[in-house]
Amino acid sequence: MEKTVFKTKTLPLNKVKINDPFWSYYINLVRDVVVPYQWDALNDRIADAEPSCAIKNFQIAAGEEVGEFHGMVFQDSDVAKWLEAVGYLLSVERDEELEKIADGIIDIIAKAQLEDGYLNTYYTLKEPGKRWTDLSECHELYCAGHMIEAAVAYYQATGKRKILDVVIKFADHIDDVFGTEPGKLRGYDGHQEIELALIKLYEVTSNEKYLRLSQYFLEERGRKPHFYDEEFEKRGGTHHWPDSWMIRNKEYSQAHKPVNEQNKAVGHAVRFVYMCTGMAHLAAETGNRDMYEASKRLWNNMVSKNMYITGGIGSQSHGEAFSTDYDLPNDTVYAETCASIGLIFFAQRMLHVEPNSQYADVMERALYNTVLAGMGHDGKSFFYVNPLEVEPHACESNHIYHHVKPTRQGWFGCACCPPNVARLLASLGQYVYSVRENTVYTHLYISGQAEIELDGNRRLILEQETNYPWSGNIQFTIRADQESELTLALRIPDWCENAEISINGELRSVCGLMIDGYAMVKGTWKTGDQINLVLSMPIVRMKGHPLVRQTAGKVALQRGPLVYCLEEADNGSNLHQLLLPSDGRLEVEEENLLGGMKVITGEAIKRKTENWGQALYRRNVNVEAESVSIKFIPYFAWANRGLGEMQVWVNEKETL
């Protein structure tokens, strides 16, 4: 297959060492707390949490336990995502005990695999005669995709082939079953995932069969006559879930038309970004221009009309889905954590095709806000839904808010988000840089070292040092065996109005260096050379598009990549009564909250409610107000101090 000439590549995870005052805490938390905690959860050892039964299902399928299948039809994927996170952790730092645990579950997974390569505990245990008969609803290929991703990560980390051989056998079986050839099933999964996983398997095996199979699943989607309808008819009209809505609503799984003809973000948000990730990755690998243009159209619609300021996507709980353009409610929002993780996957793949800072800007926004908010500071509590406004009493009493939880949960019956957070943070080093020929693109500002191989077998160490996101000062130091020509492409974020670059103390003009949002700093570098980047980081008052009804007359505060919010713990109740003067003073202060962070303080006006009286409605009333001190904290830090109100968008008071 033809390879595109503009593809950039990710640095191997073991070539990027993160040693960062902000992110190292979270990566160590994943290693020391999150992964062990989730292992206990998968083994049903967490008190007061819904049992997972995911490990037990594999043990039963392997013949090592007796019993029946329990859990969701896609329960296998939780184990796969856990194993994938372990693979990433082992790539960075060997851990014999963790590797021993992982090898143990891999042995069980291998025993659970059937002779022909098929691997799925739900169909093996519960409906053994019905595999590949309900793809629109039952996630068989989705589970397969996650197991493939886990196997690739674990093989790359350890060099052990056992789990890789399992998924190769499984992928070969899938290739025997699906396709356009006579006798094959012309189908595809309701939940996209296999598409992006197969390309990863191709990258590690160099077997183009898997790349072609991924392309088949993407290009077959949405063709007529419709596969879901044919499958439904063959089953005699039966369905797995309480009704057939998931089958009938083709937009829900982006199967309403061929992917290259789609131009709007619709349906289930996670499925959408997983599909787009596969599309962009396929475009990078094959040079498929139509697939790339479709990816770009879908990206533009999503980020310009359907994304929250926090990087959340999917505004409605029904179907965990997109609504319509500019419909972005703050209190009934869904914004699933997994959706923002998928958005990061999509952004990274777009960067590989087109190194444009718009993709890294969104990647950063989702990472620092929604994804980080999805896990508590303790590593043992999680948000599935990420609201921008919370009133706890309403969440408890009004069914339209029942999906919104004002505190993080220990685990979920549908536990896709916690292991997804773990696998993303464990692999964070893969998102910092990408390389094309002799250009190194810096997408994220995170302290650590990167070992880079350039053309001609030259090796270079790039050291990054920063206190980002609290400070916009970033220093790069070169360590090289010999003088090397290199262009260091430094992203200038969309929130930064002023940036300064100096090389070995000599100031350079940024304006003449800019290409697609990156300052292209070209030079012949030797050991000890330093590049300093200073990004201005003022407090910015953000406004929503005029067509977004829910942000009209409101303002949100952002500093650097961080969106800020008000919490009841700092500002009392009835946050909706606060008015932020448009010319009011706002200052940045240090606070020892969750290990230390920068908060924003200022003065606001708060309308009084105590003198209103008993009448629900009154006419010609001048509501009394008073000046109050207020404090904003980073959005990712909310809900770590008990139950209370929270609000991102604040009413603004215009001043003359």
Side-chain angles (χ1 to χ4, degrees), residues 196-213:
L196 57 93
L198 284 168
I199 304 178
K200 288 187 176 182
L201 186 60
Y202 155 70
E203 289 179 324
V204 81
T205 63
S206 298
N207 189 336
E208 291 198 351
K209 172 170 64 175
Y210 306 129
L211 187 62
R212 289 192 296 269
L213 186 57

mmCIF file with all atom_site columns, all heavy atoms in Angstrom, residues 196-213:
data_model
loop_
_atom_site.group_PDB
_atom_site.id
_atom_site.type_symbol
_atom_site.label_atom_id
_atom_site.label_alt_id
_atom_site.label_comp_id
_atom_site.label_asym_id
_atom_site.label_entity_id
_atom_site.label_seq_id
_atom_site.pdbx_PDB_ins_code
_atom_site.Cartn_x
_atom_site.Cartn_y
_atom_site.Cartn_z
_atom_site.occupancy
_atom_site.B_iso_or_equiv
_atom_site.pdbx_formal_charge
_atom_site.auth_seq_id
_atom_site.auth_comp_id
_atom_site.auth_asym_id
_atom_site.auth_atom_id
_atom_site.pdbx_PDB_model_num
ATOM 1   N N   . LEU A 1 196 ? -9.122  0.966   14.698 1.00 0.00 ? 196 LEU A N   1
ATOM 2   C CA  . LEU A 1 196 ? -7.844  1.569   15.106 1.00 0.00 ? 196 LEU A CA  1
ATOM 3   C C   . LEU A 1 196 ? -6.901  0.515   15.687 1.00 0.00 ? 196 LEU A C   1
ATOM 4   O O   . LEU A 1 196 ? -5.677  0.625   15.565 1.00 0.00 ? 196 LEU A O   1
ATOM 5   C CB  . LEU A 1 196 ? -8.086  2.722   16.080 1.00 0.00 ? 196 LEU A CB  1
ATOM 6   C CG  . LEU A 1 196 ? -8.863  2.478   17.375 1.00 0.00 ? 196 LEU A CG  1
ATOM 7   C CD1 . LEU A 1 196 ? -7.933  2.156   18.516 1.00 0.00 ? 196 LEU A CD1 1
ATOM 8   C CD2 . LEU A 1 196 ? -9.680  3.721   17.731 1.00 0.00 ? 196 LEU A CD2 1
ATOM 9   N N   . ALA A 1 197 ? -7.458  -0.534  16.308 1.00 0.00 ? 197 ALA A N   1
ATOM 10  C CA  . ALA A 1 197 ? -6.616  -1.587  16.873 1.00 0.00 ? 197 ALA A CA  1
ATOM 11  C C   . ALA A 1 197 ? -5.886  -2.378  15.795 1.00 0.00 ? 197 ALA A C   1
ATOM 12  O O   . ALA A 1 197 ? -4.709  -2.719  15.940 1.00 0.00 ? 197 ALA A O   1
ATOM 13  C CB  . ALA A 1 197 ? -7.466  -2.530  17.721 1.00 0.00 ? 197 ALA A CB  1
ATOM 14  N N   . LEU A 1 198 ? -6.570  -2.678  14.701 1.00 0.00 ? 198 LEU A N   1
ATOM 15  C CA  . LEU A 1 198 ? -5.947  -3.456  13.628 1.00 0.00 ? 198 LEU A CA  1
ATOM 16  C C   . LEU A 1 198 ? -4.765  -2.730  13.010 1.00 0.00 ? 198 LEU A C   1
ATOM 17  O O   . LEU A 1 198 ? -3.782  -3.356  12.594 1.00 0.00 ? 198 LEU A O   1
ATOM 18  C CB  . LEU A 1 198 ? -6.988  -3.786  12.557 1.00 0.00 ? 198 LEU A CB  1
ATOM 19  C CG  . LEU A 1 198 ? -7.982  -4.901  12.905 1.00 0.00 ? 198 LEU A CG  1
ATOM 20  C CD1 . LEU A 1 198 ? -9.119  -4.926  11.901 1.00 0.00 ? 198 LEU A CD1 1
ATOM 21  C CD2 . LEU A 1 198 ? -7.278  -6.261  12.957 1.00 0.00 ? 198 LEU A CD2 1
ATOM 22  N N   . ILE A 1 199 ? -4.843  -1.397  12.945 1.00 0.00 ? 199 ILE A N   1
ATOM 23  C CA  . ILE A 1 199 ? -3.707  -0.655  12.388 1.00 0.00 ? 199 ILE A CA  1
ATOM 24  C C   . ILE A 1 199 ? -2.508  -0.750  13.325 1.00 0.00 ? 199 ILE A C   1
ATOM 25  O O   . ILE A 1 199 ? -1.360  -0.858  12.881 1.00 0.00 ? 199 ILE A O   1
ATOM 26  C CB  . ILE A 1 199 ? -4.086  0.812   12.108 1.00 0.00 ? 199 ILE A CB  1
ATOM 27  C CG1 . ILE A 1 199 ? -5.307  0.873   11.187 1.00 0.00 ? 199 ILE A CG1 1
ATOM 28  C CG2 . ILE A 1 199 ? -2.914  1.550   11.447 1.00 0.00 ? 199 ILE A CG2 1
ATOM 29  C CD1 . ILE A 1 199 ? -5.801  2.275   10.892 1.00 0.00 ? 199 ILE A CD1 1
ATOM 30  N N   . LYS A 1 200 ? -2.753  -0.742  14.630 1.00 0.00 ? 200 LYS A N   1
ATOM 31  C CA  . LYS A 1 200 ? -1.656  -0.932  15.582 1.00 0.00 ? 200 LYS A CA  1
ATOM 32  C C   . LYS A 1 200 ? -1.044  -2.329  15.424 1.00 0.00 ? 200 LYS A C   1
ATOM 33  O O   . LYS A 1 200 ? 0.174   -2.497  15.523 1.00 0.00 ? 200 LYS A O   1
ATOM 34  C CB  . LYS A 1 200 ? -2.154  -0.731  17.011 1.00 0.00 ? 200 LYS A CB  1
ATOM 35  C CG  . LYS A 1 200 ? -2.455  0.709   17.379 1.00 0.00 ? 200 LYS A CG  1
ATOM 36  C CD  . LYS A 1 200 ? -2.780  0.840   18.858 1.00 0.00 ? 200 LYS A CD  1
ATOM 37  C CE  . LYS A 1 200 ? -2.997  2.289   19.255 1.00 0.00 ? 200 LYS A CE  1
ATOM 38  N NZ  . LYS A 1 200 ? -3.258  2.431   20.711 1.00 0.00 ? 200 LYS A NZ  1
ATOM 39  N N   . LEU A 1 201 ? -1.895  -3.321  15.178 1.00 0.00 ? 201 LEU A N   1
ATOM 40  C CA  . LEU A 1 201 ? -1.381  -4.675  14.971 1.00 0.00 ? 201 LEU A CA  1
ATOM 41  C C   . LEU A 1 201 ? -0.562  -4.741  13.689 1.00 0.00 ? 201 LEU A C   1
ATOM 42  O O   . LEU A 1 201 ? 0.489   -5.403  13.639 1.00 0.00 ? 201 LEU A O   1
ATOM 43  C CB  . LEU A 1 201 ? -2.550  -5.663  14.914 1.00 0.00 ? 201 LEU A CB  1
ATOM 44  C CG  . LEU A 1 201 ? -2.182  -7.144  14.845 1.00 0.00 ? 201 LEU A CG  1
ATOM 45  C CD1 . LEU A 1 201 ? -1.364  -7.570  16.057 1.00 0.00 ? 201 LEU A CD1 1
ATOM 46  C CD2 . LEU A 1 201 ? -3.442  -8.007  14.725 1.00 0.00 ? 201 LEU A CD2 1
ATOM 47  N N   . TYR A 1 202 ? -1.013  -4.049  12.673 1.00 0.00 ? 202 TYR A N   1
ATOM 48  C CA  . TYR A 1 202 ? -0.233  -3.969  11.430 1.00 0.00 ? 202 TYR A CA  1
ATOM 49  C C   . TYR A 1 202 ? 1.129   -3.335  11.691 1.00 0.00 ? 202 TYR A C   1
ATOM 50  O O   . TYR A 1 202 ? 2.160   -3.820  11.183 1.00 0.00 ? 202 TYR A O   1
ATOM 51  C CB  . TYR A 1 202 ? -1.007  -3.157  10.391 1.00 0.00 ? 202 TYR A CB  1
ATOM 52  C CG  . TYR A 1 202 ? -0.136  -2.505  9.345  1.00 0.00 ? 202 TYR A CG  1
ATOM 53  C CD1 . TYR A 1 202 ? 0.515   -3.267  8.383  1.00 0.00 ? 202 TYR A CD1 1
ATOM 54  C CD2 . TYR A 1 202 ? 0.053   -1.121  9.343  1.00 0.00 ? 202 TYR A CD2 1
ATOM 55  C CE1 . TYR A 1 202 ? 1.336   -2.662  7.433  1.00 0.00 ? 202 TYR A CE1 1
ATOM 56  C CE2 . TYR A 1 202 ? 0.866   -0.519  8.403  1.00 0.00 ? 202 TYR A CE2 1
ATOM 57  C CZ  . TYR A 1 202 ? 1.512   -1.290  7.448  1.00 0.00 ? 202 TYR A CZ  1
ATOM 58  O OH  . TYR A 1 202 ? 2.322   -0.690  6.527  1.00 0.00 ? 202 TYR A OH  1
ATOM 59  N N   . GLU A 1 203 ? 1.168   -2.271  12.482 1.00 0.00 ? 203 GLU A N   1
ATOM 60  C CA  . GLU A 1 203 ? 2.432   -1.581  12.731 1.00 0.00 ? 203 GLU A CA  1
ATOM 61  C C   . GLU A 1 203 ? 3.445   -2.474  13.429 1.00 0.00 ? 203 GLU A C   1
ATOM 62  O O   . GLU A 1 203 ? 4.654   -2.374  13.182 1.00 0.00 ? 203 GLU A O   1
ATOM 63  C CB  . GLU A 1 203 ? 2.174   -0.324  13.570 1.00 0.00 ? 203 GLU A CB  1
ATOM 64  C CG  . GLU A 1 203 ? 1.473   0.793   12.812 1.00 0.00 ? 203 GLU A CG  1
ATOM 65  C CD  . GLU A 1 203 ? 1.199   2.007   13.664 1.00 0.00 ? 203 GLU A CD  1
ATOM 66  O OE1 . GLU A 1 203 ? 0.891   1.846   14.869 1.00 0.00 ? 203 GLU A OE1 1
ATOM 67  O OE2 . GLU A 1 203 ? 1.277   3.137   13.141 1.00 0.00 ? 203 GLU A OE2 1
ATOM 68  N N   . VAL A 1 204 ? 2.980   -3.364  14.287 1.00 0.00 ? 204 VAL A N   1
ATOM 69  C CA  . VAL A 1 204 ? 3.915   -4.192  15.039 1.00 0.00 ? 204 VAL A CA  1
ATOM 70  C C   . VAL A 1 204 ? 4.251   -5.500  14.316 1.00 0.00 ? 204 VAL A C   1
ATOM 71  O O   . VAL A 1 204 ? 5.296   -6.107  14.577 1.00 0.00 ? 204 VAL A O   1
ATOM 72  C CB  . VAL A 1 204 ? 3.366   -4.467  16.462 1.00 0.00 ? 204 VAL A CB  1
ATOM 73  C CG1 . VAL A 1 204 ? 2.349   -5.596  16.475 1.00 0.00 ? 204 VAL A CG1 1
ATOM 74  C CG2 . VAL A 1 204 ? 4.484   -4.768  17.446 1.00 0.00 ? 204 VAL A CG2 1
ATOM 75  N N   . THR A 1 205 ? 3.392   -5.930  13.381 1.00 0.00 ? 205 THR A N   1
ATOM 76  C CA  . THR A 1 205 ? 3.636   -7.190  12.658 1.00 0.00 ? 205 THR A CA  1
ATOM 77  C C   . THR A 1 205 ? 4.075   -6.987  11.217 1.00 0.00 ? 205 THR A C   1
ATOM 78  O O   . THR A 1 205 ? 4.597   -7.923  10.601 1.00 0.00 ? 205 THR A O   1
ATOM 79  C CB  . THR A 1 205 ? 2.362   -8.054  12.634 1.00 0.00 ? 205 THR A CB  1
ATOM 80  O OG1 . THR A 1 205 ? 1.339   -7.358  11.904 1.00 0.00 ? 205 THR A OG1 1
ATOM 81  C CG2 . THR A 1 205 ? 1.882   -8.375  14.043 1.00 0.00 ? 205 THR A CG2 1
ATOM 82  N N   . SER A 1 206 ? 3.822   -5.781  10.668 1.00 0.00 ? 206 SER A N   1
ATOM 83  C CA  . SER A 1 206 ? 4.076   -5.466  9.255  1.00 0.00 ? 206 SER A CA  1
ATOM 84  C C   . SER A 1 206 ? 3.232   -6.322  8.319  1.00 0.00 ? 206 SER A C   1
ATOM 85  O O   . SER A 1 206 ? 3.534   -6.426  7.117  1.00 0.00 ? 206 SER A O   1
ATOM 86  C CB  . SER A 1 206 ? 5.569   -5.632  8.910  1.00 0.00 ? 206 SER A CB  1
ATOM 87  O OG  . SER A 1 206 ? 6.347   -4.739  9.676  1.00 0.00 ? 206 SER A OG  1
ATOM 88  N N   . ASN A 1 207 ? 2.183   -6.941  8.829  1.00 0.00 ? 207 ASN A N   1
ATOM 89  C CA  . ASN A 1 207 ? 1.284   -7.752  8.004  1.00 0.00 ? 207 ASN A CA  1
ATOM 90  C C   . ASN A 1 207 ? 0.166   -6.857  7.471  1.00 0.00 ? 207 ASN A C   1
ATOM 91  O O   . ASN A 1 207 ? -0.718  -6.436  8.218  1.00 0.00 ? 207 ASN A O   1
ATOM 92  C CB  . ASN A 1 207 ? 0.703   -8.904  8.822  1.00 0.00 ? 207 ASN A CB  1
ATOM 93  C CG  . ASN A 1 207 ? -0.053  -9.899  7.958  1.00 0.00 ? 207 ASN A CG  1
ATOM 94  O OD1 . ASN A 1 207 ? -0.542  -9.565  6.871  1.00 0.00 ? 207 ASN A OD1 1
ATOM 95  N ND2 . ASN A 1 207 ? -0.148  -11.140 8.420  1.00 0.00 ? 207 ASN A ND2 1
ATOM 96  N N   . GLU A 1 208 ? 0.218   -6.587  6.155  1.00 0.00 ? 208 GLU A N   1
ATOM 97  C CA  . GLU A 1 208 ? -0.737  -5.647  5.573  1.00 0.00 ? 208 GLU A CA  1
ATOM 98  C C   . GLU A 1 208 ? -2.170  -6.177  5.562  1.00 0.00 ? 208 GLU A C   1
ATOM 99  O O   . GLU A 1 208 ? -3.109  -5.415  5.321  1.00 0.00 ? 208 GLU A O   1
ATOM 100 C CB  . GLU A 1 208 ? -0.289  -5.259  4.158  1.00 0.00 ? 208 GLU A CB  1
ATOM 101 C CG  . GLU A 1 208 ? 0.973   -4.420  4.154  1.00 0.00 ? 208 GLU A CG  1
ATOM 102 C CD  . GLU A 1 208 ? 1.169   -3.671  2.845  1.00 0.00 ? 208 GLU A CD  1
ATOM 103 O OE1 . GLU A 1 208 ? 0.409   -3.949  1.879  1.00 0.00 ? 208 GLU A OE1 1
ATOM 104 O OE2 . GLU A 1 208 ? 2.060   -2.819  2.787  1.00 0.00 ? 208 GLU A OE2 1
ATOM 105 N N   . LYS A 1 209 ? -2.343  -7.444  5.848  1.00 0.00 ? 209 LYS A N   1
ATOM 106 C CA  . LYS A 1 209 ? -3.694  -7.997  5.940  1.00 0.00 ? 209 LYS A CA  1
ATOM 107 C C   . LYS A 1 209 ? -4.510  -7.240  6.981  1.00 0.00 ? 209 LYS A C   1
ATOM 108 O O   . LYS A 1 209 ? -5.706  -6.981  6.780  1.00 0.00 ? 209 LYS A O   1
ATOM 109 C CB  . LYS A 1 209 ? -3.607  -9.481  6.310  1.00 0.00 ? 209 LYS A CB  1
ATOM 110 C CG  . LYS A 1 209 ? -4.950  -10.125 6.624  1.00 0.00 ? 209 LYS A CG  1
ATOM 111 C CD  . LYS A 1 209 ? -4.846  -11.630 6.756  1.00 0.00 ? 209 LYS A CD  1
ATOM 112 C CE  . LYS A 1 209 ? -3.997  -12.074 7.907  1.00 0.00 ? 209 LYS A CE  1
ATOM 113 N NZ  . LYS A 1 209 ? -4.009  -13.548 8.080  1.00 0.00 ? 209 LYS A NZ  1
ATOM 114 N N   . TYR A 1 210 ? -3.876  -6.877  8.083  1.00 0.00 ? 210 TYR A N   1
ATOM 115 C CA  . TYR A 1 210 ? -4.596  -6.196  9.159  1.00 0.00 ? 210 TYR A CA  1
ATOM 116 C C   . TYR A 1 210 ? -4.933  -4.752  8.778  1.00 0.00 ? 210 TYR A C   1
ATOM 117 O O   . TYR A 1 210 ? -5.980  -4.232  9.164  1.00 0.00 ? 210 TYR A O   1
ATOM 118 C CB  . TYR A 1 210 ? -3.785  -6.252  10.453 1.00 0.00 ? 210 TYR A CB  1
ATOM 119 C CG  . TYR A 1 210 ? -3.395  -7.662  10.831 1.00 0.00 ? 210 TYR A CG  1
ATOM 120 C CD1 . TYR A 1 210 ? -2.073  -7.991  11.142 1.00 0.00 ? 210 TYR A CD1 1
ATOM 121 C CD2 . TYR A 1 210 ? -4.348  -8.679  10.843 1.00 0.00 ? 210 TYR A CD2 1
ATOM 122 C CE1 . TYR A 1 210 ? -1.716  -9.286  11.469 1.00 0.00 ? 210 TYR A CE1 1
ATOM 123 C CE2 . TYR A 1 210 ? -3.993  -9.987  11.167 1.00 0.00 ? 210 TYR A CE2 1
ATOM 124 C CZ  . TYR A 1 210 ? -2.674  -10.284 11.476 1.00 0.00 ? 210 TYR A CZ  1
ATOM 125 O OH  . TYR A 1 210 ? -2.320  -11.574 11.785 1.00 0.00 ? 210 TYR A OH  1
ATOM 126 N N   . LEU A 1 211 ? -4.062  -4.121  8.011  1.00 0.00 ? 211 LEU A N   1
ATOM 127 C CA  . LEU A 1 211 ? -4.349  -2.774  7.516  1.00 0.00 ? 211 LEU A CA  1
ATOM 128 C C   . LEU A 1 211 ? -5.526  -2.811  6.544  1.00 0.00 ? 211 LEU A C   1
ATOM 129 O O   . LEU A 1 211 ? -6.436  -1.969  6.615  1.00 0.00 ? 211 LEU A O   1
ATOM 130 C CB  . LEU A 1 211 ? -3.105  -2.199  6.842  1.00 0.00 ? 211 LEU A CB  1
ATOM 131 C CG  . LEU A 1 211 ? -3.165  -0.724  6.416  1.00 0.00 ? 211 LEU A CG  1
ATOM 132 C CD1 . LEU A 1 211 ? -3.358  0.189   7.606  1.00 0.00 ? 211 LEU A CD1 1
ATOM 133 C CD2 . LEU A 1 211 ? -1.892  -0.351  5.659  1.00 0.00 ? 211 LEU A CD2 1
ATOM 134 N N   . ARG A 1 212 ? -5.536  -3.796  5.658  1.00 0.00 ? 212 ARG A N   1
ATOM 135 C CA  . ARG A 1 212 ? -6.651  -3.937  4.712  1.00 0.00 ? 212 ARG A CA  1
ATOM 136 C C   . ARG A 1 212 ? -7.957  -4.241  5.435  1.00 0.00 ? 212 ARG A C   1
ATOM 137 O O   . ARG A 1 212 ? -9.027  -3.754  5.050  1.00 0.00 ? 212 ARG A O   1
ATOM 138 C CB  . ARG A 1 212 ? -6.341  -5.041  3.694  1.00 0.00 ? 212 ARG A CB  1
ATOM 139 C CG  . ARG A 1 212 ? -5.261  -4.673  2.680  1.00 0.00 ? 212 ARG A CG  1
ATOM 140 C CD  . ARG A 1 212 ? -5.232  -5.684  1.541  1.00 0.00 ? 212 ARG A CD  1
ATOM 141 N NE  . ARG A 1 212 ? -4.853  -7.018  2.014  1.00 0.00 ? 212 ARG A NE  1
ATOM 142 C CZ  . ARG A 1 212 ? -3.611  -7.475  2.060  1.00 0.00 ? 212 ARG A CZ  1
ATOM 143 N NH1 . ARG A 1 212 ? -2.614  -6.697  1.653  1.00 0.00 ? 212 ARG A NH1 1
ATOM 144 N NH2 . ARG A 1 212 ? -3.349  -8.696  2.491  1.00 0.00 ? 212 ARG A NH2 1
ATOM 145 N N   . LEU A 1 213 ? -7.885  -5.044  6.508  1.00 0.00 ? 213 LEU A N   1
ATOM 146 C CA  . LEU A 1 213 ? -9.087  -5.384  7.260  1.00 0.00 ? 213 LEU A CA  1
ATOM 147 C C   . LEU A 1 213 ? -9.650  -4.156  7.970  1.00 0.00 ? 213 LEU A C   1
ATOM 148 O O   . LEU A 1 213 ? -10.869 -3.948  7.994  1.00 0.00 ? 213 LEU A O   1
ATOM 149 C CB  . LEU A 1 213 ? -8.769  -6.492  8.266  1.00 0.00 ? 213 LEU A CB  1
ATOM 150 C CG  . LEU A 1 213 ? -9.942  -7.089  9.047  1.00 0.00 ? 213 LEU A CG  1
ATOM 151 C CD1 . LEU A 1 213 ? -11.009 -7.655  8.111  1.00 0.00 ? 213 LEU A CD1 1
ATOM 152 C CD2 . LEU A 1 213 ? -9.445  -8.177  10.014 1.00 0.00 ? 213 LEU A CD2 1
#
